[in-house]
Amino acid sequence: MPDRPCLPGHAWRCCDRTLDIADRPVVMGVLNVTPDSFSDGNRYTRPDVAIEHGRRMWEEGAAIIDVGGESTRPGAEPVDAEEERRRVLPVIEGLQSCIHASDARPAGLISIDTCKASVAEAALAAGAHIVNDVSALTGDDRMAQVVRAAGAGAVLMHMRGEPRTMQDDPRYDDVVRDVVSYLDARVSAAQNVGIARECLAIDPGIGFGKTTDHNLQLLQGLSAFIAIGLPVVVGLSRKRFLGKITGRETGARPAAGVAANVYSAWQGASVLRVHDVAETMDAIKMTVALCAEAS
């Protein structure tokens, strides 16, 4: 993507793998193995069905499959660690054998979407490469140690409050400045406990304790996050603010999500976390082709 902000040689180290994201963004496919996620709850609770869906997203172009066993939708109730491990581990183990390298492309990476250290530790032992933590490593005192020991990639996300309360009248003095300041501090904290900077990515947390206006301001202000100098993850797929703007119900928001993700990629986002992998990949490929022709 010509003129797309990026850092020369920008790469993200995740265990024994390195993801090159300097030239164009990569897609992270959402695989919720929960009964209560806002968009696809109860669709992939059977391990065989979840594994097949993950394989299909990888074939459609996802570089990362993000497996989550606890819903973080607004108002969601917490799940204990034992149940969360029961949900995610068979899926992670099964994905290992079906998103392997081919002549056409490298093997896919697996991310565990959790804020519990015991779940992350078990997932990494089962073959995951990334810990996607909505609490930015603050939800469990052991999480930073688990990430450091494995050399895992880590996504540090901003969230106001917790899933049960995060949408209760969220307020900021300046949402971009406040979220950038928080994530910058969390990056420093992670490095201070020995996590390598090249293993870290940041996520402004679209929809996590934010109004529609906050979400729009964060997307419009992505350059401030890019300036931190780490890969920026954007997860906006099918979220409520898209429905507020378009009037569409959850399952009818792919077009709005694709548009917002292309915009985010153009601003310099490195990882797009999406449900609609094929549509997002097509949009990225088309944008890259058009930019190449124009240059």
Side-chain angles (χ1 to χ4, degrees):
M1 281 188 182
D3 301 322
R4 175 181 178 269
C6 65
L7 297 176
H10 210 30
W12 186 17
R13 182 159 65 81
C14 307
C15 293
D16 59 346
R17 304 280 297 281
T18 299
L19 198 58
D20 184 357
I21 44 182
D23 296 327
R24 66 174 69 187
V26 299
V27 166
M28 173 187 280
V30 179
L31 182 53
N32 291 319
V33 293
T34 57
D36 56 344
S37 292
F38 81 96
S39 176
D40 50 7
N42 214 35
R43 292 187 63 185
Y44 306 114
T45 52
R46 280 178 43 190
D48 59 333
V49 176
I51 293 164
E52 173 58 23
H53 183 58
R55 182 196 62 78
R56 185 163 57 252
M57 288 193 292
W58 180 72
E59 289 185 345
E60 290 172 344
I64 307 165
I65 307 299
D66 191 39
V67 182
E70 179 179 31
S71 175
T72 52
R73 63 177 173 78
E77 292 295 325
V79 173
D80 66 60
E82 182 178 356
E83 173 62 15
E84 195 175 341
R85 288 193 297 270
R86 185 194 67 79
R87 293 175 180 180
V88 302
L89 293 182
V91 177
I92 291 170
E93 291 164 356
L95 285 172
Q96 287 295 306
S97 63
C98 64
I99 57 172
H100 52 78
S102 68
D103 292 339
R105 58 187 300 220
L109 278 71
I110 298 171
S111 171
I112 177 64
D113 180 358
T114 187
C115 57
K116 298 183 183 71
S118 65
V119 176
E121 191 168 39
L124 291 166
H129 309 86
I130 298 164
V131 176
N132 182 11
D133 186 348
V134 299
S135 78
L137 310 184
T138 66
D140 188 317
D141 291 342
R142 287 187 58 244
M143 184 65 93
Q145 175 188 341
V146 168
V147 170
R148 182 185 66 230
V155 181
L156 309 180
M157 197 196 80
H158 175 275
M159 174 172 57
R160 174 63 58 87
E162 60 181 12
R164 284 179 294 179
T165 62
M166 64 187 179
Q167 291 304 111
D168 294 348
D169 193 27
R171 295 172 183 261
Y172 300 86
D173 292 330
D174 179 313
V175 68
V176 174
R177 184 186 64 204
D178 292 355
V179 176
V180 166
S181 178
Y182 173 84
L183 290 176
D184 207 18
R186 292 310 306 152
V187 168
S188 295
Q191 291 185 265
N192 286 341
V193 296
I195 299 175
R197 186 175 178 86
E198 59 265 30
C199 291
L200 297 172
I202 56 173
D203 182 343
I206 301 299
F208 284 81
K210 283 94 175 176
T211 65
T212 295
D213 284 345
H214 292 149
N215 292 325
L216 292 174
Q217 290 172 49
L218 288 168
L219 293 173
Q220 291 162 349
L222 279 178
S223 60
F225 297 92
I226 306 301
I228 292 175
L230 292 172
V232 173
V233 179
V234 170
L236 54 82
S237 181
R238 301 185 184 178
K239 288 192 173 174
R240 184 179 303 178
F241 85 103
L242 299 174
K244 292 259 189 183
I245 293 169
T246 64
R248 300 284 186 182
E249 294 299 322
T250 303
R253 297 172 189 165
V258 167
N261 274 309
V262 168
Y263 176 87
S264 300
W266 190 260
Q267 299 306 309
S270 297
V271 181
L272 307 176
R273 183 180 183 275
V274 307
H275 298 83
D276 305 294
V277 171
E279 294 86 346
T280 304
M281 288 298 304
D282 285 352
I284 291 171
K285 290 174 184 176
M286 196 69 232
T287 304
V288 169
L290 287 167
C291 290
E293 288 297 321
S295 63

PDB file of all heavy atoms in Angstrom, residues 147-167:
ATOM      1  N   VAL A 147       3.703 -14.933  29.391  1.00  0.00           N
ATOM      2  CA  VAL A 147       4.060 -14.410  28.062  1.00  0.00           C
ATOM      3  C   VAL A 147       5.575 -14.365  27.907  1.00  0.00           C
ATOM      4  O   VAL A 147       6.129 -14.786  26.885  1.00  0.00           O
ATOM      5  CB  VAL A 147       3.437 -13.012  27.855  1.00  0.00           C
ATOM      6  CG1 VAL A 147       3.988 -12.359  26.599  1.00  0.00           C
ATOM      7  CG2 VAL A 147       1.916 -13.114  27.780  1.00  0.00           C
ATOM      8  N   ARG A 148       6.259 -13.851  28.910  1.00  0.00           N
ATOM      9  CA  ARG A 148       7.721 -13.734  28.844  1.00  0.00           C
ATOM     10  C   ARG A 148       8.382 -15.098  28.709  1.00  0.00           C
ATOM     11  O   ARG A 148       9.292 -15.282  27.883  1.00  0.00           O
ATOM     12  CB  ARG A 148       8.229 -13.033  30.112  1.00  0.00           C
ATOM     13  CG  ARG A 148       9.748 -12.823  30.109  1.00  0.00           C
ATOM     14  CD  ARG A 148      10.226 -12.241  31.435  1.00  0.00           C
ATOM     15  NE  ARG A 148      10.028 -13.183  32.529  1.00  0.00           N
ATOM     16  CZ  ARG A 148       9.436 -12.873  33.679  1.00  0.00           C
ATOM     17  NH1 ARG A 148       8.972 -11.657  33.896  1.00  0.00           N
ATOM     18  NH2 ARG A 148       9.308 -13.799  34.621  1.00  0.00           N
ATOM     19  N   ALA A 149       7.948 -16.059  29.508  1.00  0.00           N
ATOM     20  CA  ALA A 149       8.575 -17.383  29.499  1.00  0.00           C
ATOM     21  C   ALA A 149       8.450 -18.071  28.149  1.00  0.00           C
ATOM     22  O   ALA A 149       9.354 -18.789  27.719  1.00  0.00           O
ATOM     23  CB  ALA A 149       7.959 -18.259  30.600  1.00  0.00           C
ATOM     24  N   ALA A 150       7.320 -17.848  27.478  1.00  0.00           N
ATOM     25  CA  ALA A 150       7.094 -18.493  26.182  1.00  0.00           C
ATOM     26  C   ALA A 150       7.661 -17.700  25.011  1.00  0.00           C
ATOM     27  O   ALA A 150       7.738 -18.217  23.895  1.00  0.00           O
ATOM     28  CB  ALA A 150       5.589 -18.708  25.976  1.00  0.00           C
ATOM     29  N   GLY A 151       8.042 -16.446  25.260  1.00  0.00           N
ATOM     30  CA  GLY A 151       8.432 -15.582  24.145  1.00  0.00           C
ATOM     31  C   GLY A 151       7.269 -15.331  23.208  1.00  0.00           C
ATOM     32  O   GLY A 151       7.449 -15.107  21.999  1.00  0.00           O
ATOM     33  N   ALA A 152       6.056 -15.353  23.752  1.00  0.00           N
ATOM     34  CA  ALA A 152       4.850 -15.250  22.933  1.00  0.00           C
ATOM     35  C   ALA A 152       4.603 -13.822  22.481  1.00  0.00           C
ATOM     36  O   ALA A 152       5.037 -12.855  23.127  1.00  0.00           O
ATOM     37  CB  ALA A 152       3.635 -15.741  23.733  1.00  0.00           C
ATOM     38  N   GLY A 153       3.902 -13.688  21.372  1.00  0.00           N
ATOM     39  CA  GLY A 153       3.363 -12.395  21.008  1.00  0.00           C
ATOM     40  C   GLY A 153       2.274 -12.023  22.003  1.00  0.00           C
ATOM     41  O   GLY A 153       1.610 -12.895  22.570  1.00  0.00           O
ATOM     42  N   ALA A 154       2.091 -10.729  22.227  1.00  0.00           N
ATOM     43  CA  ALA A 154       1.067 -10.285  23.169  1.00  0.00           C
ATOM     44  C   ALA A 154       0.376  -9.043  22.616  1.00  0.00           C
ATOM     45  O   ALA A 154       1.047  -8.094  22.190  1.00  0.00           O
ATOM     46  CB  ALA A 154       1.663  -9.973  24.537  1.00  0.00           C
ATOM     47  N   VAL A 155      -0.950  -9.068  22.626  1.00  0.00           N
ATOM     48  CA  VAL A 155      -1.747  -7.902  22.252  1.00  0.00           C
ATOM     49  C   VAL A 155      -2.207  -7.237  23.542  1.00  0.00           C
ATOM     50  O   VAL A 155      -2.912  -7.848  24.358  1.00  0.00           O
ATOM     51  CB  VAL A 155      -2.972  -8.285  21.399  1.00  0.00           C
ATOM     52  CG1 VAL A 155      -3.758  -7.033  21.020  1.00  0.00           C
ATOM     53  CG2 VAL A 155      -2.550  -9.053  20.151  1.00  0.00           C
ATOM     54  N   LEU A 156      -1.802  -5.986  23.728  1.00  0.00           N
ATOM     55  CA  LEU A 156      -2.202  -5.198  24.891  1.00  0.00           C
ATOM     56  C   LEU A 156      -3.362  -4.295  24.462  1.00  0.00           C
ATOM     57  O   LEU A 156      -3.183  -3.398  23.642  1.00  0.00           O
ATOM     58  CB  LEU A 156      -1.039  -4.345  25.390  1.00  0.00           C
ATOM     59  CG  LEU A 156       0.295  -5.063  25.628  1.00  0.00           C
ATOM     60  CD1 LEU A 156       1.350  -4.083  26.124  1.00  0.00           C
ATOM     61  CD2 LEU A 156       0.121  -6.213  26.621  1.00  0.00           C
ATOM     62  N   MET A 157      -4.537  -4.529  25.018  1.00  0.00           N
ATOM     63  CA  MET A 157      -5.726  -3.794  24.600  1.00  0.00           C
ATOM     64  C   MET A 157      -6.204  -2.854  25.700  1.00  0.00           C
ATOM     65  O   MET A 157      -6.059  -3.150  26.887  1.00  0.00           O
ATOM     66  CB  MET A 157      -6.853  -4.763  24.235  1.00  0.00           C
ATOM     67  CG  MET A 157      -7.960  -4.109  23.416  1.00  0.00           C
ATOM     68  SD  MET A 157      -9.485  -5.091  23.386  1.00  0.00           S
ATOM     69  CE  MET A 157     -10.182  -4.641  24.988  1.00  0.00           C
ATOM     70  N   HIS A 158      -6.787  -1.752  25.298  1.00  0.00           N
ATOM     71  CA  HIS A 158      -7.403  -0.821  26.246  1.00  0.00           C
ATOM     72  C   HIS A 158      -8.870  -1.181  26.443  1.00  0.00           C
ATOM     73  O   HIS A 158      -9.613  -1.387  25.492  1.00  0.00           O
ATOM     74  CB  HIS A 158      -7.315   0.614  25.749  1.00  0.00           C
ATOM     75  CG  HIS A 158      -8.039   1.592  26.644  1.00  0.00           C
ATOM     76  ND1 HIS A 158      -9.389   1.841  26.525  1.00  0.00           N
ATOM     77  CD2 HIS A 158      -7.599   2.328  27.697  1.00  0.00           C
ATOM     78  CE1 HIS A 158      -9.759   2.710  27.448  1.00  0.00           C
ATOM     79  NE2 HIS A 158      -8.694   3.025  28.171  1.00  0.00           N
ATOM     80  N   MET A 159      -9.288  -1.233  27.715  1.00  0.00           N
ATOM     81  CA  MET A 159     -10.697  -1.423  28.048  1.00  0.00           C
ATOM     82  C   MET A 159     -11.008  -0.569  29.270  1.00  0.00           C
ATOM     83  O   MET A 159     -10.252  -0.571  30.244  1.00  0.00           O
ATOM     84  CB  MET A 159     -10.997  -2.895  28.343  1.00  0.00           C
ATOM     85  CG  MET A 159     -12.409  -3.163  28.839  1.00  0.00           C
ATOM     86  SD  MET A 159     -12.824  -4.937  28.957  1.00  0.00           S
ATOM     87  CE  MET A 159     -11.532  -5.549  30.061  1.00  0.00           C
ATOM     88  N   ARG A 160     -12.099   0.156  29.236  1.00  0.00           N
ATOM     89  CA  ARG A 160     -12.545   0.914  30.395  1.00  0.00           C
ATOM     90  C   ARG A 160     -13.438   0.017  31.255  1.00  0.00           C
ATOM     91  O   ARG A 160     -14.494  -0.424  30.805  1.00  0.00           O
ATOM     92  CB  ARG A 160     -13.316   2.159  29.935  1.00  0.00           C
ATOM     93  CG  ARG A 160     -13.979   2.976  31.037  1.00  0.00           C
ATOM     94  CD  ARG A 160     -12.988   3.569  32.022  1.00  0.00           C
ATOM     95  NE  ARG A 160     -11.989   4.422  31.419  1.00  0.00           N
ATOM     96  CZ  ARG A 160     -12.155   5.738  31.200  1.00  0.00           C
ATOM     97  NH1 ARG A 160     -13.292   6.320  31.507  1.00  0.00           N
ATOM     98  NH2 ARG A 160     -11.188   6.450  30.673  1.00  0.00           N
ATOM     99  N   GLY A 161     -12.982  -0.306  32.473  1.00  0.00           N
ATOM    100  CA  GLY A 161     -13.764  -1.180  33.348  1.00  0.00           C
ATOM    101  C   GLY A 161     -13.597  -2.637  32.970  1.00  0.00           C
ATOM    102  O   GLY A 161     -12.508  -3.091  32.640  1.00  0.00           O
ATOM    103  N   GLU A 162     -14.697  -3.376  33.012  1.00  0.00           N
ATOM    104  CA  GLU A 162     -14.720  -4.788  32.663  1.00  0.00           C
ATOM    105  C   GLU A 162     -15.933  -5.041  31.768  1.00  0.00           C
ATOM    106  O   GLU A 162     -16.814  -4.177  31.668  1.00  0.00           O
ATOM    107  CB  GLU A 162     -14.790  -5.649  33.924  1.00  0.00           C
ATOM    108  CG  GLU A 162     -16.017  -5.380  34.779  1.00  0.00           C
ATOM    109  CD  GLU A 162     -16.051  -6.236  36.037  1.00  0.00           C
ATOM    110  OE1 GLU A 162     -15.016  -6.855  36.350  1.00  0.00           O
ATOM    111  OE2 GLU A 162     -17.105  -6.296  36.664  1.00  0.00           O
ATOM    112  N   PRO A 163     -15.999  -6.203  31.087  1.00  0.00           N
ATOM    113  CA  PRO A 163     -17.102  -6.427  30.148  1.00  0.00           C
ATOM    114  C   PRO A 163     -18.490  -6.176  30.742  1.00  0.00           C
ATOM    115  O   PRO A 163     -19.370  -5.637  30.061  1.00  0.00           O
ATOM    116  CB  PRO A 163     -16.920  -7.892  29.746  1.00  0.00           C
ATOM    117  CG  PRO A 163     -15.442  -8.081  29.796  1.00  0.00           C
ATOM    118  CD  PRO A 163     -14.991  -7.284  30.998  1.00  0.00           C
ATOM    119  N   ARG A 164     -18.694  -6.518  32.016  1.00  0.00           N
ATOM    120  CA  ARG A 164     -20.023  -6.340  32.601  1.00  0.00           C
ATOM    121  C   ARG A 164     -20.402  -4.876  32.755  1.00  0.00           C
ATOM    122  O   ARG A 164     -21.589  -4.537  32.779  1.00  0.00           O
ATOM    123  CB  ARG A 164     -20.094  -7.036  33.962  1.00  0.00           C
ATOM    124  CG  ARG A 164     -20.213  -8.554  33.889  1.00  0.00           C
ATOM    125  CD  ARG A 164     -20.251  -9.168  35.276  1.00  0.00           C
ATOM    126  NE  ARG A 164     -18.989  -8.985  35.985  1.00  0.00           N
ATOM    127  CZ  ARG A 164     -18.747  -9.406  37.209  1.00  0.00           C
ATOM    128  NH1 ARG A 164     -19.700 -10.015  37.896  1.00  0.00           N
ATOM    129  NH2 ARG A 164     -17.568  -9.226  37.770  1.00  0.00           N
ATOM    130  N   THR A 165     -19.410  -3.997  32.861  1.00  0.00           N
ATOM    131  CA  THR A 165     -19.694  -2.592  33.185  1.00  0.00           C
ATOM    132  C   THR A 165     -19.146  -1.590  32.183  1.00  0.00           C
ATOM    133  O   THR A 165     -19.395  -0.389  32.321  1.00  0.00           O
ATOM    134  CB  THR A 165     -19.098  -2.261  34.566  1.00  0.00           C
ATOM    135  OG1 THR A 165     -17.662  -2.427  34.516  1.00  0.00           O
ATOM    136  CG2 THR A 165     -19.665  -3.171  35.654  1.00  0.00           C
ATOM    137  N   MET A 166     -18.382  -2.050  31.189  1.00  0.00           N
ATOM    138  CA  MET A 166     -17.602  -1.123  30.379  1.00  0.00           C
ATOM    139  C   MET A 166     -18.441  -0.126  29.580  1.00  0.00           C
ATOM    140  O   MET A 166     -17.953   0.955  29.226  1.00  0.00           O
ATOM    141  CB  MET A 166     -16.674  -1.901  29.433  1.00  0.00           C
ATOM    142  CG  MET A 166     -17.390  -2.750  28.405  1.00  0.00           C
ATOM    143  SD  MET A 166     -16.203  -3.775  27.501  1.00  0.00           S
ATOM    144  CE  MET A 166     -17.295  -4.665  26.396  1.00  0.00           C
ATOM    145  N   GLN A 167     -19.697  -0.452  29.286  1.00  0.00           N
ATOM    146  CA  GLN A 167     -20.526   0.472  28.512  1.00  0.00           C
ATOM    147  C   GLN A 167     -21.442   1.321  29.388  1.00  0.00           C
ATOM    148  O   GLN A 167     -22.344   1.980  28.884  1.00  0.00           O
ATOM    149  CB  GLN A 167     -21.350  -0.309  27.484  1.00  0.00           C
ATOM    150  CG  GLN A 167     -20.521  -0.916  26.357  1.00  0.00           C
ATOM    151  CD  GLN A 167     -19.696   0.102  25.601  1.00  0.00           C
ATOM    152  OE1 GLN A 167     -18.474   0.111  25.688  1.00  0.00           O
ATOM    153  NE2 GLN A 167     -20.349   0.980  24.852  1.00  0.00           N
TER     154      GLN A 167
END
